[in-house]
Amino acid sequence: MKNCVLINSLIPRFNKVLDIPGDKSLSIRWILLASQALGKSKAFNLLESEDVLNAIISMRKLGVKIIKRDDYYEINGVGLNGFEHKNNLKINAGNSGTFARLLCGSLAGNVKYVKVIGDKSLSKRDFSRIVKPLKLFGVKIKTKNNKLPLTIMGSRYLRPISYNEVKGSAQVKSAILIAALNTPGQTIIKSKFSRNHTELMMKNCLNINLKSKKKSNFEIIKIIGKKNYKNFNYKIPGDISSAAFFIVLTILSNKSTLKIKNVNFNKSRTGVIEILRKMGAKIKISNLRNYKGERLADIEVVSSKNLIGIKCPRSFNTKTIDEFLIIFLVCAKAKGVSTFTGISELRQKESDRLKIGAKFLKSIGIKIEEKFDSLKIYGNPELCINKQIIIKNYLKDHRVFMMSCIAALTLGGNFKIYDKNSINSSFPNFLMLLKKLGAKIDNRYIN
Ligand code: S3P
């Protein structure tokens, strides 16, 4: 019962200011990069979710000392090639594709066997995308069908590579960049545009020789490795992917306003805001500032009526990749048809989010057309649910759970939403923050 949440009333109007937990992508990158720095690094506002805590546990197993202090985490970096551990070490990446894939990059120069395993969802995901480039560096990797479990042994004689990254995957690009840190000479990546946190951290915090040149829809990144770098401190800003749920909650609620402060507003992550604005949502961005190459902002949003459907340009796909589910919910309430194309990468996430998003929309009475690579949503501005909706067997995907809660609080009906524990991977205090805004959620679900 504790793993299933009942929501049966709309959220009353609210007018609040909120802080959102630290960005997951940045938290994981800081852990991996600080682990191979020389000396003590500190991170403030590190996300304390399962994906991130698994990363900490794993790096400790590799011989890295990580301490939680009062208001920061401290990593005593071991330098490039400095991991020390027993042979055949087993590392559990849990639910996190980002940690598992970037870790493999960190292990490129590590010459003992490490077995990387993950939970049921991660064990279904494709690893060929990192196995292929890492093997070109000279890393030995054994897998069955390019899935986890995977056994990896790095090499002392890594060779720089030239690689064409065509998926627009920041995880692949970052695994290559991190492997390149340990590799002599120049590695070159031609990469379809994707989030660039790794490059920004390497350039602005580690002083790595890294150059990137933007072309039309791809970029050329050149990095020279084998140079130890010093410890660095980082203050992790709020995660826009987590903020997105609260932004949509406000848009779909009645006469409410919300200000979210200190959010990472990197241009490679803001697709959700651009799309919601195009749909007629009232969102104001203020206090834009630069922090170690990242762009931060405060976001103000108010309830918005008269939303209109969107024909989402393909060029938005990578910068919106984790927010499509919650955007689909807005499309359900918008006037007209919304179309998304070129989105089959959604099938490669913690669950097949294209299939599961379509299933969810159908369950709340929305007409959709799902194809392998696209989704059409026939919006209904009058949408109002007055029956019981059970969200069960949705593959324990944290973003499906959170989207379902937002639907329950804005569309009515009696929702019974299973797999509450899934939120621990990215946003453990999600329900507590909903309650802070006034949502009626039984305390038993909040711990
Ligand atoms: C992430 C990149 C994205 C995203 C994931 C986090 C990252 O995956 O979906 O949640 O931190 O690099 P892909 O790069 O594989 O698309």
Side-chain angles (χ1 to χ4, degrees):
M1 182 62 191
K2 258 192 126 187
N3 199 22
C4 157
V5 171
L6 305 175
I7 301 181
N8 49 28
S9 57
L10 297 176
I11 188 163
R13 52 197 284 194
F14 55 87
N15 176 4
K16 287 266 183 352
V17 180
L18 211 63
D19 280 320
I20 290 287
D23 187 271
K24 183 148 70 94
S25 293
L26 286 172
S27 296
I28 291 176
R29 282 161 174 77
W30 176 78
I31 292 168
L32 283 163
L33 293 175
S35 291
Q36 293 206 78
L38 288 175
K40 275 184 191 156
S41 300
K42 290 179 188 173
F44 297 85
N45 200 36
L46 192 81
L47 173 66
E48 291 187 305
S49 76
E50 269 173 11
D51 282 6
V52 178
L53 296 176
N54 275 333
I56 291 177
I57 294 168
S58 306
M59 299 322 283
R60 282 184 181 142
K61 283 190 174 177
L62 287 166
V64 181
K65 202 166 146 202
I66 306 183
I67 303 166
K68 183 179 172 169
R69 304 275 186 206
D70 277 354
D71 61 342
Y72 62 90
Y73 277 83
E74 185 180 285
I75 291 190
N76 210 332
V78 294
L80 292 176
N81 269 334
F83 297 139
E84 273 183 23
H85 61 93
K86 61 172 196 203
N87 206 11
N88 293 319
L89 178 72
K90 200 195 258 182
I91 285 191
N92 189 348
N95 191 248
S96 177
T98 304
F99 175 62
R101 292 180 176 130
L102 272 57
L103 169 73
C104 291
S106 298
L107 293 173
N110 183 58
V111 287
K112 279 184 184 161
Y113 281 107
V114 175
K115 186 173 183 180
V116 183
I117 61 166
D119 71 4
K120 205 169 154 194
S121 145
L122 189 57
S123 305
K124 285 191 190 139
R125 295 174 70 181
D126 168 51
F127 274 72
S128 66
R129 52 185 65 198
I130 56 131
V131 169
K132 207 173 142 203
L134 290 179
K135 278 189 172 170
L136 294 175
F137 275 103
V139 177
K140 287 199 192 91
I141 302 183
K142 275 189 259 160
T143 60
K144 231 195 219 165
N145 308 323
N146 284 308
K147 304 232 156 81
L148 297 187
L150 155 166
T151 307
I152 179 166
M153 181 162 81
S155 164
R156 274 209 190 96
Y157 307 101
L158 296 170
R159 316 174 275 272
I161 66 168
S162 277
Y163 198 76
N164 191 4
E165 196 290 304
V166 289
K167 291 195 187 298
S169 164
Q171 293 179 356
V172 175
K173 178 175 66 177
S174 302
I176 297 173
L177 286 171
I178 295 175
L181 283 181
N182 257 313
T183 307
Q186 179 171 259
T187 290
I188 304 174
I189 312 171
K190 178 180 173 191
S191 173
K192 205 174 142 194
F193 181 69
S194 63
R195 67 186 70 186
N196 61 351
H197 307 305
T198 309
E199 296 93 297
L200 293 178
M201 221 177 244
M202 285 182 170
K203 259 202 280 200
N204 297 293
C205 305
L206 316 185
N207 220 358
I208 297 294
N209 187 339
L210 181 151
K211 294 194 174 74
S212 52
K213 237 192 203 143
K214 285 213 163 69
K215 306 280 174 180
S216 51
N217 64 341
F218 65 92
E219 53 190 334
I220 305 282
I221 307 169
K222 295 181 178 171
I223 175 170
I224 296 179
K226 270 291 177 233
K227 182 180 152 268
N228 262 306
Y229 54 89
K230 280 204 232 121
N231 55 321
F232 64 105
N233 297 341
Y234 209 92
K235 232 169 124 184
I236 315 273
D239 195 327
I240 192 164
S241 300
S242 299
F245 293 99
F246 287 86
I247 293 169
V248 170
L249 172 75
T250 313
I251 292 171
L252 297 183
S253 300
N254 197 19
K255 295 185 182 146
S256 298
T257 62
L258 182 67
K259 181 169 184 176
I260 306 176
K261 291 195 302 186
N262 201 35
V263 179
N264 186 344
F265 208 66
N266 181 317
K267 284 186 184 157
S268 61
R269 300 283 297 278
T270 51
V272 59
I273 303 295
E274 294 169 59
I275 290 174
L276 292 174
R277 274 180 162 169
K278 278 181 194 283
M279 296 181 74
K282 294 182 204 120
I283 304 175
K284 201 173 121 196
I285 305 303
S286 61
N287 200 10
L288 275 171
R289 57 211 183 270
N290 179 299
Y291 177 72
K292 302 197 185 207
E294 293 286 347
R295 192 168 68 139
L296 313 190
D298 298 344
I299 302 174
E300 280 167 82
V301 52
V302 299
S303 304
S304 315
K305 297 261 179 278
N306 306 321
L307 296 162
I308 44 169
I310 183 161
K311 187 166 185 293
C312 183
R314 277 173 183 256
S315 59
F316 276 57
N317 290 352
T318 43
K319 60 178 165 178
T320 318
I321 191 73
D322 291 339
E323 288 72 62
F324 277 115
L325 276 180
I326 193 69
I327 291 172
F328 294 162
L329 182 67
V330 181
C331 297
K333 208 45 188 161
K335 187 172 167 199
V337 183
S338 292
T339 324
F340 299 86
T341 45
I343 53 167
S344 60
E345 265 296 293
L346 281 187
R347 300 193 185 276
Q348 304 293 332
K349 296 296 166 190
E350 286 85 326
S351 68
D352 177 340
R353 288 192 179 142
L354 187 38
K355 183 170 155 198
I356 229 99
K359 178 175 157 188
F360 176 85
L361 291 169
K362 271 197 261 176
S363 81
I364 59 169
I366 293 293
K367 185 179 157 204
I368 53 106
E369 279 167 35
E370 178 201 348
K371 299 221 170 95
F372 173 70
D373 205 21
S374 68
L375 186 67
K376 242 185 197 174
I377 302 170
Y378 293 81
N380 172 12
E382 310 309 322
L383 178 66
C384 183
I385 302 170
N386 43 29
K387 59 175 187 177
Q388 187 177 51
I389 306 281
I390 299 179
I391 305 298
K392 195 175 183 180
N393 299 329
Y394 274 74
L395 305 174
K396 303 194 166 95
D397 184 326
H398 53 134
R399 299 200 201 280
V400 174
F401 178 89
M402 293 190 275
M403 185 241 327
S404 306
C405 291
I406 303 303
L409 291 166
T410 55
L411 302 178
N414 288 319
F415 274 73
K416 193 170 184 188
I417 312 167
Y418 283 81
D419 299 324
K420 187 219 106 172
N421 291 344
S422 62
I423 54 173
N424 293 338
S425 70
S426 69
F427 200 167
N429 64 345
F430 171 73
L431 290 171
M432 204 175 75
L433 290 185
L434 282 181
K435 199 167 167 101
K436 197 172 154 194
L437 294 189
K440 292 195 183 73
I441 291 172
D442 195 313
N443 271 334
R444 280 176 304 159
Y445 307 129
I446 298 172
N447 43 38

